Amino acid sequence: MPTVHPVDEVPPIRQLAAYALQHVLAMYAGAVAVPLIVGGAMKLPAADLAYLITADLLVCGIATLIQCVGFWRFGVRLPIMQGCTFAAVSPMVLIGTTGGGLPAIYGSVIVAGLAIVLLAPVFGRLLRFFPPLVTGTVILIIGLSLLPVAGNWAAGGQGSKDFGEPRNLALAAFVLLVVLAVQRFAPAFLSRIAVLIGIVVGLAVAVPFGFTDFGGVGRADWVGISTPFHFGTPVFHASAIASMLVVAVVTMTETTGDLIAVGEMTGRRAEPRSLADGLRADGLSTILGGVFNTFPYTAYAQNVGLVGMTRVRSRWVVAASGGMLVLLGLLPKLGAVVAAVPAPVLGGAGLVMFGTVAASGLRTLAGVDFRGNHNLTVVAVSVAVGMLPVGVPTVYVKFPDWFQTVMNSGISAGCLTAIVLNLLFNHLPSKAGSAVLEADGLARGGGEEGVEEPREEVV
């Protein structure tokens, strides 16, 4: 009897539910942030904001199911969680406030989704430009670029009145310690849901100390169904479509990095065909987003970290998470319960998860040869360019909108830099024709030694 690959295993139902809930809690804050930011910038009434959030959760769930379960040539069939991309926030706010409101946003989102579906096979064939040197660098940048998100959560959540209060950081530190203690001392099953246990224990401590308010649960409706084109028929403006097409390229680049990262972690490496299938699922989800009153979708890097940390590689776990998100989208009262988890609790868990992503990148880079070549330079410059917009968010504020869309995402900026530098130093003929060895690894010549080696198993 053939053995089942860990990606295709179905855990027992109780474990499946616990693992799945852990993924939902890890991505929930990021998922609802996009509709909150866009709707808030457009000064939408509270009822419309609530509608955007439930629509977003519903399509997040459907998109995750398409990606994990798959049908025909849609879906990478790996444990990938889907959510709204932050790369689209600035262009959508601009379109919504100056260029036609939500109908113009949804028109551009639908066109962008169609473009992703059509371009997916092209991106799939670019996999040879992602050797371990590039993938390790991209995974490292993904983890590092997410750490400020965890830091903001730990401090109380960006924009909160008590941001940076010691009690917020103390709660985050407490959750972090619980996660570490469970991982170190608990039995195998419990250690795999260390993040979930940390969040539950943190929430139990947070309630009596007044960190959270469950008032929103009582005000939420029991049932809410998102209907197509609720905010009107989509409008197709050329300028809006152009900016959203740039976003499409950025999200495809980010998703490519995430798919390769999960392939490394699960032992089922992304191939050109499966990569194209994953990107095609992104495109279909984005089209559904435009139809069902929400936004462009991409793979969520925070859940990539959770896969690496827990070593639970089953795609059916994340598919179950997708089912939970569908329920949250149809039952707003349930969504309000999850939304009541305070930011510092998520921050403590996020520090472990996002740090795990960065560590996985380092593990991949450990298999790359850095002697007698320019590989160290490729990593150094790519990480620097990727971290620039993370450390200095306004660094490109004077540049054109399309440039900001690409470069304000540390993940896409670092990924593009790594690909270009790898081509420059390791694929184009060297002028000198040979490498000059340097003791510090910063070589002055070419060579692809160790660059095209098979990718190492991360888990």
Side-chain angles (χ1 to χ4, degrees):
M1 184 175 174
T3 56
V4 178
H5 193 282
V7 169
D8 298 318
E9 283 181 349
V10 182
I13 190 68
R14 272 193 291 185
Q15 293 183 18
L16 181 75
Y19 295 152
L21 179 58
Q22 192 168 230
H23 273 283
V24 170
L25 291 171
M27 63 82 68
Y28 189 91
V32 300
V34 174
L36 280 173
I37 294 168
V38 175
M42 294 177 65
K43 296 181 170 51
L44 296 179
D48 286 348
L49 271 178
Y51 195 96
L52 284 179
I53 290 170
T54 54
D56 174 33
L57 293 172
L58 175 66
V59 181
C60 275
I62 294 170
T64 300
L65 287 167
I66 293 171
Q67 196 68 274
C68 295
V69 179
F71 68 92
W72 190 51
R73 296 299 303 278
F74 292 88
V76 72
R77 296 165 175 84
L78 286 173
I80 290 285
M81 201 84 174
Q82 297 284 107
C84 281
T85 174
F86 283 86
V89 168
S90 296
M92 288 192 301
V93 167
L94 194 64
I95 296 166
T97 53
T98 64
L102 287 171
I105 291 176
Y106 294 139
S108 64
V109 167
I110 290 169
V111 173
L114 288 169
I116 293 171
V117 171
L118 295 174
L119 289 172
V122 177
F123 260 73
R125 287 195 288 272
L126 297 178
L127 194 61
R128 65 193 183 91
F129 296 116
F130 287 86
L133 174 66
V134 173
T135 58
T137 303
V138 171
I139 297 167
L140 174 61
I141 291 169
I142 289 171
L144 293 177
S145 64
L146 285 170
L147 284 173
V149 176
N152 278 318
W153 286 346
Q158 192 115 39
S160 64
K161 293 177 183 177
D162 62 346
F163 187 86
E165 287 285 344
R167 73 186 208 124
N168 290 336
L169 294 167
L171 178 58
F174 171 73
V175 172
L176 174 60
L177 289 173
V178 171
V179 172
L180 294 175
V182 172
Q183 272 207 306
R184 174 64 182 86
F185 300 109
F189 165 65
L190 291 179
S191 70
R192 288 179 174 174
I193 56 168
V195 169
L196 176 60
I197 293 172
I199 290 173
V200 170
V201 173
L203 182 60
V205 170
V207 172
F209 284 97
F211 277 92
T212 189
D213 175 19
F214 288 98
V217 178
R219 293 189 296 270
D221 295 329
W222 279 104
V223 179
I225 298 174
S226 180
T227 54
F229 308 126
H230 174 79
F231 294 99
T233 306
V235 176
F236 301 94
H237 290 168
S239 59
I241 290 169
S243 63
M244 205 56 67
L245 288 175
V246 175
V247 171
V249 175
V250 172
T251 56
M252 290 178 82
T253 306
E254 290 184 350
T255 297
T256 298
D258 289 332
L259 297 184
I260 290 171
V262 171
E264 295 277 1
M265 291 174 177
T266 58
R268 180 176 282 178
R269 296 167 188 154
E271 302 296 339
R273 175 173 173 139
S274 60
L275 179 59
D277 292 348
L279 293 170
R280 206 176 278 114
D282 256 18
L284 176 59
S285 303
T286 298
I287 294 170
L288 290 175
V291 172
F292 285 95
N293 321 294
T294 179
F295 307 114
Y297 285 84
T298 187
Y300 257 28
Q302 48 262 59
N303 295 87
V304 174
L306 195 54
V307 170
M309 179 189 153
T310 62
R311 297 191 177 95
V312 177
R313 295 179 274 177
S314 171
R315 62 191 172 106
W316 298 107
V317 165
V318 182
S321 304
M324 289 180 179
L325 286 172
V326 170
L327 277 177
L328 291 174
L330 294 174
L331 303 172
K333 204 171 279 291
L334 280 180
V337 172
V338 178
V341 177
V345 172
L346 295 173
L351 287 170
V352 186
M353 293 188 301
F354 304 159
T356 301
V357 180
S360 297
L362 291 175
R363 195 170 194 176
T364 301
L365 287 172
V368 175
D369 187 2
F370 288 99
R371 295 166 300 173
N373 53 43
H374 290 285
N375 291 345
L376 196 63
T377 302
V378 173
V379 176
V381 176
S382 301
V383 171
V385 173
M387 290 298 99
L388 195 57
V390 176
V392 190
T394 57
V395 67
Y396 300 121
V397 74
K398 301 292 186 185
F399 284 74
D401 290 340
W402 66 266
F403 186 89
Q404 290 186 52
T405 301
V406 176
M407 298 302 289
N408 271 343
S409 165
I411 296 171
S412 63
C415 184
L416 291 171
T417 304
I419 293 169
V420 170
L421 291 182
N422 180 54
L423 288 173
L424 176 65
F425 287 120
N426 293 320
H427 288 265
L428 296 180
S430 172
K431 190 165 61 176
S434 61
V436 179
L437 289 175
E438 298 286 343
D440 62 359
L442 289 167
R444 302 293 180 265
E448 273 191 72
E449 222 174 311
V451 178
E452 297 290 351
E453 292 172 5
R455 297 189 184 95
E456 284 197 336
E457 300 281 336
V458 174
V459 176

mmCIF file with all atom_site columns, all heavy atoms in Angstrom, residues 135-137 139-141 144 355-368 370 379 456:
data_model
loop_
_atom_site.group_PDB
_atom_site.id
_atom_site.type_symbol
_atom_site.label_atom_id
_atom_site.label_alt_id
_atom_site.label_comp_id
_atom_site.label_asym_id
_atom_site.label_entity_id
_atom_site.label_seq_id
_atom_site.pdbx_PDB_ins_code
_atom_site.Cartn_x
_atom_site.Cartn_y
_atom_site.Cartn_z
_atom_site.occupancy
_atom_site.B_iso_or_equiv
_atom_site.pdbx_formal_charge
_atom_site.auth_seq_id
_atom_site.auth_comp_id
_atom_site.auth_asym_id
_atom_site.auth_atom_id
_atom_site.pdbx_PDB_model_num
ATOM 1   N N   . THR A 1 135 ? 15.396 31.648 -3.535 1.00 0.00 ? 135 THR A N   1
ATOM 2   C CA  . THR A 1 135 ? 14.269 31.275 -2.667 1.00 0.00 ? 135 THR A CA  1
ATOM 3   C C   . THR A 1 135 ? 14.597 31.492 -1.197 1.00 0.00 ? 135 THR A C   1
ATOM 4   O O   . THR A 1 135 ? 13.772 31.986 -0.425 1.00 0.00 ? 135 THR A O   1
ATOM 5   C CB  . THR A 1 135 ? 13.864 29.806 -2.885 1.00 0.00 ? 135 THR A CB  1
ATOM 6   O OG1 . THR A 1 135 ? 14.981 28.959 -2.629 1.00 0.00 ? 135 THR A OG1 1
ATOM 7   C CG2 . THR A 1 135 ? 13.377 29.573 -4.301 1.00 0.00 ? 135 THR A CG2 1
ATOM 8   N N   . GLY A 1 136 ? 15.818 31.127 -0.791 1.00 0.00 ? 136 GLY A N   1
ATOM 9   C CA  . GLY A 1 136 ? 16.210 31.337 0.604  1.00 0.00 ? 136 GLY A CA  1
ATOM 10  C C   . GLY A 1 136 ? 16.187 32.813 0.970  1.00 0.00 ? 136 GLY A C   1
ATOM 11  O O   . GLY A 1 136 ? 15.722 33.196 2.052  1.00 0.00 ? 136 GLY A O   1
ATOM 12  N N   . THR A 1 137 ? 16.672 33.654 0.049  1.00 0.00 ? 137 THR A N   1
ATOM 13  C CA  . THR A 1 137 ? 16.670 35.096 0.290  1.00 0.00 ? 137 THR A CA  1
ATOM 14  C C   . THR A 1 137 ? 15.249 35.630 0.401  1.00 0.00 ? 137 THR A C   1
ATOM 15  O O   . THR A 1 137 ? 14.932 36.430 1.291  1.00 0.00 ? 137 THR A O   1
ATOM 16  C CB  . THR A 1 137 ? 17.425 35.820 -0.847 1.00 0.00 ? 137 THR A CB  1
ATOM 17  O OG1 . THR A 1 137 ? 18.749 35.302 -0.942 1.00 0.00 ? 137 THR A OG1 1
ATOM 18  C CG2 . THR A 1 137 ? 17.486 37.313 -0.592 1.00 0.00 ? 137 THR A CG2 1
ATOM 19  N N   . ILE A 1 139 ? 12.461 33.959 1.191  1.00 0.00 ? 139 ILE A N   1
ATOM 20  C CA  . ILE A 1 139 ? 11.818 33.472 2.424  1.00 0.00 ? 139 ILE A CA  1
ATOM 21  C C   . ILE A 1 139 ? 12.316 34.265 3.631  1.00 0.00 ? 139 ILE A C   1
ATOM 22  O O   . ILE A 1 139 ? 11.540 34.638 4.524  1.00 0.00 ? 139 ILE A O   1
ATOM 23  C CB  . ILE A 1 139 ? 12.078 31.958 2.608  1.00 0.00 ? 139 ILE A CB  1
ATOM 24  C CG1 . ILE A 1 139 ? 11.445 31.163 1.467  1.00 0.00 ? 139 ILE A CG1 1
ATOM 25  C CG2 . ILE A 1 139 ? 11.508 31.478 3.942  1.00 0.00 ? 139 ILE A CG2 1
ATOM 26  C CD1 . ILE A 1 139 ? 11.907 29.716 1.389  1.00 0.00 ? 139 ILE A CD1 1
ATOM 27  N N   . LEU A 1 140 ? 13.621 34.556 3.653  1.00 0.00 ? 140 LEU A N   1
ATOM 28  C CA  . LEU A 1 140 ? 14.192 35.366 4.736  1.00 0.00 ? 140 LEU A CA  1
ATOM 29  C C   . LEU A 1 140 ? 13.551 36.752 4.764  1.00 0.00 ? 140 LEU A C   1
ATOM 30  O O   . LEU A 1 140 ? 13.159 37.258 5.828  1.00 0.00 ? 140 LEU A O   1
ATOM 31  C CB  . LEU A 1 140 ? 15.706 35.489 4.538  1.00 0.00 ? 140 LEU A CB  1
ATOM 32  C CG  . LEU A 1 140 ? 16.464 36.417 5.494  1.00 0.00 ? 140 LEU A CG  1
ATOM 33  C CD1 . LEU A 1 140 ? 16.320 35.955 6.937  1.00 0.00 ? 140 LEU A CD1 1
ATOM 34  C CD2 . LEU A 1 140 ? 17.941 36.490 5.103  1.00 0.00 ? 140 LEU A CD2 1
ATOM 35  N N   . ILE A 1 141 ? 13.391 37.371 3.592  1.00 0.00 ? 141 ILE A N   1
ATOM 36  C CA  . ILE A 1 141 ? 12.800 38.714 3.512  1.00 0.00 ? 141 ILE A CA  1
ATOM 37  C C   . ILE A 1 141 ? 11.333 38.680 3.937  1.00 0.00 ? 141 ILE A C   1
ATOM 38  O O   . ILE A 1 141 ? 10.849 39.594 4.630  1.00 0.00 ? 141 ILE A O   1
ATOM 39  C CB  . ILE A 1 141 ? 12.952 39.278 2.081  1.00 0.00 ? 141 ILE A CB  1
ATOM 40  C CG1 . ILE A 1 141 ? 14.422 39.572 1.797  1.00 0.00 ? 141 ILE A CG1 1
ATOM 41  C CG2 . ILE A 1 141 ? 12.118 40.552 1.902  1.00 0.00 ? 141 ILE A CG2 1
ATOM 42  C CD1 . ILE A 1 141 ? 14.713 39.885 0.332  1.00 0.00 ? 141 ILE A CD1 1
ATOM 43  N N   . LEU A 1 144 ? 11.339 38.593 7.761  1.00 0.00 ? 144 LEU A N   1
ATOM 44  C CA  . LEU A 1 144 ? 11.786 39.852 8.352  1.00 0.00 ? 144 LEU A CA  1
ATOM 45  C C   . LEU A 1 144 ? 10.775 40.976 8.134  1.00 0.00 ? 144 LEU A C   1
ATOM 46  O O   . LEU A 1 144 ? 10.555 41.809 9.017  1.00 0.00 ? 144 LEU A O   1
ATOM 47  C CB  . LEU A 1 144 ? 13.147 40.254 7.758  1.00 0.00 ? 144 LEU A CB  1
ATOM 48  C CG  . LEU A 1 144 ? 14.340 39.353 8.106  1.00 0.00 ? 144 LEU A CG  1
ATOM 49  C CD1 . LEU A 1 144 ? 15.590 39.825 7.382  1.00 0.00 ? 144 LEU A CD1 1
ATOM 50  C CD2 . LEU A 1 144 ? 14.589 39.331 9.614  1.00 0.00 ? 144 LEU A CD2 1
ATOM 51  N N   . GLY A 1 355 ? 9.193  34.929 12.913 1.00 0.00 ? 355 GLY A N   1
ATOM 52  C CA  . GLY A 1 355 ? 10.595 34.590 13.081 1.00 0.00 ? 355 GLY A CA  1
ATOM 53  C C   . GLY A 1 355 ? 10.918 33.228 12.486 1.00 0.00 ? 355 GLY A C   1
ATOM 54  O O   . GLY A 1 355 ? 12.008 33.013 11.946 1.00 0.00 ? 355 GLY A O   1
ATOM 55  N N   . THR A 1 356 ? 9.954  32.304 12.555 1.00 0.00 ? 356 THR A N   1
ATOM 56  C CA  . THR A 1 356 ? 10.143 30.973 11.976 1.00 0.00 ? 356 THR A CA  1
ATOM 57  C C   . THR A 1 356 ? 10.311 31.053 10.459 1.00 0.00 ? 356 THR A C   1
ATOM 58  O O   . THR A 1 356 ? 11.101 30.311 9.872  1.00 0.00 ? 356 THR A O   1
ATOM 59  C CB  . THR A 1 356 ? 8.947  30.066 12.321 1.00 0.00 ? 356 THR A CB  1
ATOM 60  O OG1 . THR A 1 356 ? 8.834  29.970 13.734 1.00 0.00 ? 356 THR A OG1 1
ATOM 61  C CG2 . THR A 1 356 ? 9.128  28.669 11.742 1.00 0.00 ? 356 THR A CG2 1
ATOM 62  N N   . VAL A 1 357 ? 9.566  31.953 9.811  1.00 0.00 ? 357 VAL A N   1
ATOM 63  C CA  . VAL A 1 357 ? 9.712  32.119 8.359  1.00 0.00 ? 357 VAL A CA  1
ATOM 64  C C   . VAL A 1 357 ? 11.133 32.563 8.030  1.00 0.00 ? 357 VAL A C   1
ATOM 65  O O   . VAL A 1 357 ? 11.790 31.999 7.147  1.00 0.00 ? 357 VAL A O   1
ATOM 66  C CB  . VAL A 1 357 ? 8.698  33.150 7.816  1.00 0.00 ? 357 VAL A CB  1
ATOM 67  C CG1 . VAL A 1 357 ? 8.868  33.319 6.311  1.00 0.00 ? 357 VAL A CG1 1
ATOM 68  C CG2 . VAL A 1 357 ? 7.274  32.731 8.118  1.00 0.00 ? 357 VAL A CG2 1
ATOM 69  N N   . ALA A 1 358 ? 11.618 33.585 8.748  1.00 0.00 ? 358 ALA A N   1
ATOM 70  C CA  . ALA A 1 358 ? 12.972 34.077 8.503  1.00 0.00 ? 358 ALA A CA  1
ATOM 71  C C   . ALA A 1 358 ? 14.004 32.970 8.730  1.00 0.00 ? 358 ALA A C   1
ATOM 72  O O   . ALA A 1 358 ? 14.943 32.807 7.941  1.00 0.00 ? 358 ALA A O   1
ATOM 73  C CB  . ALA A 1 358 ? 13.264 35.271 9.411  1.00 0.00 ? 358 ALA A CB  1
ATOM 74  N N   . ALA A 1 359 ? 13.827 32.194 9.798  1.00 0.00 ? 359 ALA A N   1
ATOM 75  C CA  . ALA A 1 359 ? 14.766 31.104 10.096 1.00 0.00 ? 359 ALA A CA  1
ATOM 76  C C   . ALA A 1 359 ? 14.739 30.039 9.002  1.00 0.00 ? 359 ALA A C   1
ATOM 77  O O   . ALA A 1 359 ? 15.776 29.450 8.667  1.00 0.00 ? 359 ALA A O   1
ATOM 78  C CB  . ALA A 1 359 ? 14.425 30.488 11.451 1.00 0.00 ? 359 ALA A CB  1
ATOM 79  N N   . SER A 1 360 ? 13.564 29.795 8.409  1.00 0.00 ? 360 SER A N   1
ATOM 80  C CA  . SER A 1 360 ? 13.465 28.829 7.307  1.00 0.00 ? 360 SER A CA  1
ATOM 81  C C   . SER A 1 360 ? 14.254 29.308 6.093  1.00 0.00 ? 360 SER A C   1
ATOM 82  O O   . SER A 1 360 ? 14.870 28.514 5.383  1.00 0.00 ? 360 SER A O   1
ATOM 83  C CB  . SER A 1 360 ? 11.995 28.617 6.918  1.00 0.00 ? 360 SER A CB  1
ATOM 84  O OG  . SER A 1 360 ? 11.268 28.070 7.996  1.00 0.00 ? 360 SER A OG  1
ATOM 85  N N   . GLY A 1 361 ? 14.232 30.622 5.868  1.00 0.00 ? 361 GLY A N   1
ATOM 86  C CA  . GLY A 1 361 ? 15.035 31.180 4.781  1.00 0.00 ? 361 GLY A CA  1
ATOM 87  C C   . GLY A 1 361 ? 16.517 30.962 5.014  1.00 0.00 ? 361 GLY A C   1
ATOM 88  O O   . GLY A 1 361 ? 17.262 30.589 4.097  1.00 0.00 ? 361 GLY A O   1
ATOM 89  N N   . LEU A 1 362 ? 16.954 31.176 6.250  1.00 0.00 ? 362 LEU A N   1
ATOM 90  C CA  . LEU A 1 362 ? 18.362 30.940 6.582  1.00 0.00 ? 362 LEU A CA  1
ATOM 91  C C   . LEU A 1 362 ? 18.729 29.476 6.382  1.00 0.00 ? 362 LEU A C   1
ATOM 92  O O   . LEU A 1 362 ? 19.831 29.148 5.941  1.00 0.00 ? 362 LEU A O   1
ATOM 93  C CB  . LEU A 1 362 ? 18.630 31.349 8.039  1.00 0.00 ? 362 LEU A CB  1
ATOM 94  C CG  . LEU A 1 362 ? 18.565 32.853 8.344  1.00 0.00 ? 362 LEU A CG  1
ATOM 95  C CD1 . LEU A 1 362 ? 18.729 33.088 9.837  1.00 0.00 ? 362 LEU A CD1 1
ATOM 96  C CD2 . LEU A 1 362 ? 19.644 33.605 7.572  1.00 0.00 ? 362 LEU A CD2 1
ATOM 97  N N   . ARG A 1 363 ? 17.795 28.597 6.698  1.00 0.00 ? 363 ARG A N   1
ATOM 98  C CA  . ARG A 1 363 ? 18.052 27.167 6.539  1.00 0.00 ? 363 ARG A CA  1
ATOM 99  C C   . ARG A 1 363 ? 18.246 26.805 5.073  1.00 0.00 ? 363 ARG A C   1
ATOM 100 O O   . ARG A 1 363 ? 19.096 25.984 4.721  1.00 0.00 ? 363 ARG A O   1
ATOM 101 C CB  . ARG A 1 363 ? 16.883 26.387 7.130  1.00 0.00 ? 363 ARG A CB  1
ATOM 102 C CG  . ARG A 1 363 ? 17.186 24.918 7.351  1.00 0.00 ? 363 ARG A CG  1
ATOM 103 C CD  . ARG A 1 363 ? 16.085 24.279 8.161  1.00 0.00 ? 363 ARG A CD  1
ATOM 104 N NE  . ARG A 1 363 ? 16.508 22.990 8.656  1.00 0.00 ? 363 ARG A NE  1
ATOM 105 C CZ  . ARG A 1 363 ? 15.772 22.243 9.460  1.00 0.00 ? 363 ARG A CZ  1
ATOM 106 N NH1 . ARG A 1 363 ? 14.600 22.676 9.867  1.00 0.00 ? 363 ARG A NH1 1
ATOM 107 N NH2 . ARG A 1 363 ? 16.207 21.078 9.884  1.00 0.00 ? 363 ARG A NH2 1
ATOM 108 N N   . THR A 1 364 ? 17.442 27.403 4.202  1.00 0.00 ? 364 THR A N   1
ATOM 109 C CA  . THR A 1 364 ? 17.607 27.167 2.765  1.00 0.00 ? 364 THR A CA  1
ATOM 110 C C   . THR A 1 364 ? 18.938 27.721 2.278  1.00 0.00 ? 364 THR A C   1
ATOM 111 O O   . THR A 1 364 ? 19.653 27.081 1.499  1.00 0.00 ? 364 THR A O   1
ATOM 112 C CB  . THR A 1 364 ? 16.447 27.814 1.981  1.00 0.00 ? 364 THR A CB  1
ATOM 113 O OG1 . THR A 1 364 ? 15.212 27.268 2.434  1.00 0.00 ? 364 THR A OG1 1
ATOM 114 C CG2 . THR A 1 364 ? 16.585 27.566 0.489  1.00 0.00 ? 364 THR A CG2 1
ATOM 115 N N   . LEU A 1 365 ? 19.296 28.910 2.761  1.00 0.00 ? 365 LEU A N   1
ATOM 116 C CA  . LEU A 1 365 ? 20.569 29.528 2.342  1.00 0.00 ? 365 LEU A CA  1
ATOM 117 C C   . LEU A 1 365 ? 21.778 28.739 2.845  1.00 0.00 ? 365 LEU A C   1
ATOM 118 O O   . LEU A 1 365 ? 22.872 28.849 2.279  1.00 0.00 ? 365 LEU A O   1
ATOM 119 C CB  . LEU A 1 365 ? 20.638 30.963 2.855  1.00 0.00 ? 365 LEU A CB  1
ATOM 120 C CG  . LEU A 1 365 ? 19.732 31.979 2.144  1.00 0.00 ? 365 LEU A CG  1
ATOM 121 C CD1 . LEU A 1 365 ? 19.741 33.316 2.871  1.00 0.00 ? 365 LEU A CD1 1
ATOM 122 C CD2 . LEU A 1 365 ? 20.165 32.161 0.695  1.00 0.00 ? 365 LEU A CD2 1
ATOM 123 N N   . ALA A 1 366 ? 21.581 27.944 3.898  1.00 0.00 ? 366 ALA A N   1
ATOM 124 C CA  . ALA A 1 366 ? 22.699 27.154 4.431  1.00 0.00 ? 366 ALA A CA  1
ATOM 125 C C   . ALA A 1 366 ? 23.219 26.150 3.403  1.00 0.00 ? 366 ALA A C   1
ATOM 126 O O   . ALA A 1 366 ? 24.371 25.709 3.480  1.00 0.00 ? 366 ALA A O   1
ATOM 127 C CB  . ALA A 1 366 ? 22.274 26.425 5.707  1.00 0.00 ? 366 ALA A CB  1
ATOM 128 N N   . GLY A 1 367 ? 22.373 25.776 2.425  1.00 0.00 ? 367 GLY A N   1
ATOM 129 C CA  . GLY A 1 367 ? 22.799 24.833 1.394  1.00 0.00 ? 367 GLY A CA  1
ATOM 130 C C   . GLY A 1 367 ? 23.437 25.488 0.186  1.00 0.00 ? 367 GLY A C   1
ATOM 131 O O   . GLY A 1 367 ? 23.793 24.809 -0.783 1.00 0.00 ? 367 GLY A O   1
ATOM 132 N N   . VAL A 1 368 ? 23.583 26.818 0.215  1.00 0.00 ? 368 VAL A N   1
ATOM 133 C CA  . VAL A 1 368 ? 24.160 27.552 -0.920 1.00 0.00 ? 368 VAL A CA  1
ATOM 134 C C   . VAL A 1 368 ? 25.649 27.759 -0.685 1.00 0.00 ? 368 VAL A C   1
ATOM 135 O O   . VAL A 1 368 ? 26.087 28.047 0.426  1.00 0.00 ? 368 VAL A O   1
ATOM 136 C CB  . VAL A 1 368 ? 23.440 28.915 -1.089 1.00 0.00 ? 368 VAL A CB  1
ATOM 137 C CG1 . VAL A 1 368 ? 24.110 29.749 -2.177 1.00 0.00 ? 368 VAL A CG1 1
ATOM 138 C CG2 . VAL A 1 368 ? 21.975 28.701 -1.409 1.00 0.00 ? 368 VAL A CG2 1
ATOM 139 N N   . PHE A 1 370 ? 28.831 29.875 -0.744 1.00 0.00 ? 370 PHE A N   1
ATOM 140 C CA  . PHE A 1 370 ? 29.170 31.300 -0.743 1.00 0.00 ? 370 PHE A CA  1
ATOM 141 C C   . PHE A 1 370 ? 30.664 31.536 -0.979 1.00 0.00 ? 370 PHE A C   1
ATOM 142 O O   . PHE A 1 370 ? 31.146 32.656 -0.829 1.00 0.00 ? 370 PHE A O   1
ATOM 143 C CB  . PHE A 1 370 ? 28.762 31.940 0.591  1.00 0.00 ? 370 PHE A CB  1
ATOM 144 C CG  . PHE A 1 370 ? 27.280 32.097 0.758  1.00 0.00 ? 370 PHE A CG  1
ATOM 145 C CD1 . PHE A 1 370 ? 26.544 31.175 1.496  1.00 0.00 ? 370 PHE A CD1 1
ATOM 146 C CD2 . PHE A 1 370 ? 26.599 33.152 0.165  1.00 0.00 ? 370 PHE A CD2 1
ATOM 147 C CE1 . PHE A 1 370 ? 25.169 31.314 1.648  1.00 0.00 ? 370 PHE A CE1 1
ATOM 148 C CE2 . PHE A 1 370 ? 25.235 33.301 0.305  1.00 0.00 ? 370 PHE A CE2 1
ATOM 149 C CZ  . PHE A 1 370 ? 24.512 32.382 1.051  1.00 0.00 ? 370 PHE A CZ  1
ATOM 150 N N   . VAL A 1 379 ? 22.563 38.119 -1.676 1.00 0.00 ? 379 VAL A N   1
ATOM 151 C CA  . VAL A 1 379 ? 21.741 38.066 -0.461 1.00 0.00 ? 379 VAL A CA  1
ATOM 152 C C   . VAL A 1 379 ? 21.758 39.414 0.253  1.00 0.00 ? 379 VAL A C   1
ATOM 153 O O   . VAL A 1 379 ? 20.711 39.954 0.639  1.00 0.00 ? 379 VAL A O   1
ATOM 154 C CB  . VAL A 1 379 ? 22.240 36.958 0.491  1.00 0.00 ? 379 VAL A CB  1
ATOM 155 C CG1 . VAL A 1 379 ? 21.452 36.978 1.797  1.00 0.00 ? 379 VAL A CG1 1
ATOM 156 C CG2 . VAL A 1 379 ? 22.118 35.588 -0.172 1.00 0.00 ? 379 VAL A CG2 1
ATOM 157 N N   . GLU A 1 456 ? 17.098 22.144 -0.608 1.00 0.00 ? 456 GLU A N   1
ATOM 158 C CA  . GLU A 1 456 ? 17.122 21.304 0.581  1.00 0.00 ? 456 GLU A CA  1
ATOM 159 C C   . GLU A 1 456 ? 15.723 21.167 1.155  1.00 0.00 ? 456 GLU A C   1
ATOM 160 O O   . GLU A 1 456 ? 14.894 22.049 1.023  1.00 0.00 ? 456 GLU A O   1
ATOM 161 C CB  . GLU A 1 456 ? 17.995 21.927 1.661  1.00 0.00 ? 456 GLU A CB  1
ATOM 162 C CG  . GLU A 1 456 ? 19.478 21.772 1.378  1.00 0.00 ? 456 GLU A CG  1
ATOM 163 C CD  . GLU A 1 456 ? 20.281 22.011 2.639  1.00 0.00 ? 456 GLU A CD  1
ATOM 164 O OE1 . GLU A 1 456 ? 19.790 22.698 3.540  1.00 0.00 ? 456 GLU A OE1 1
ATOM 165 O OE2 . GLU A 1 456 ? 21.360 21.491 2.728  1.00 0.00 ? 456 GLU A OE2 1
#
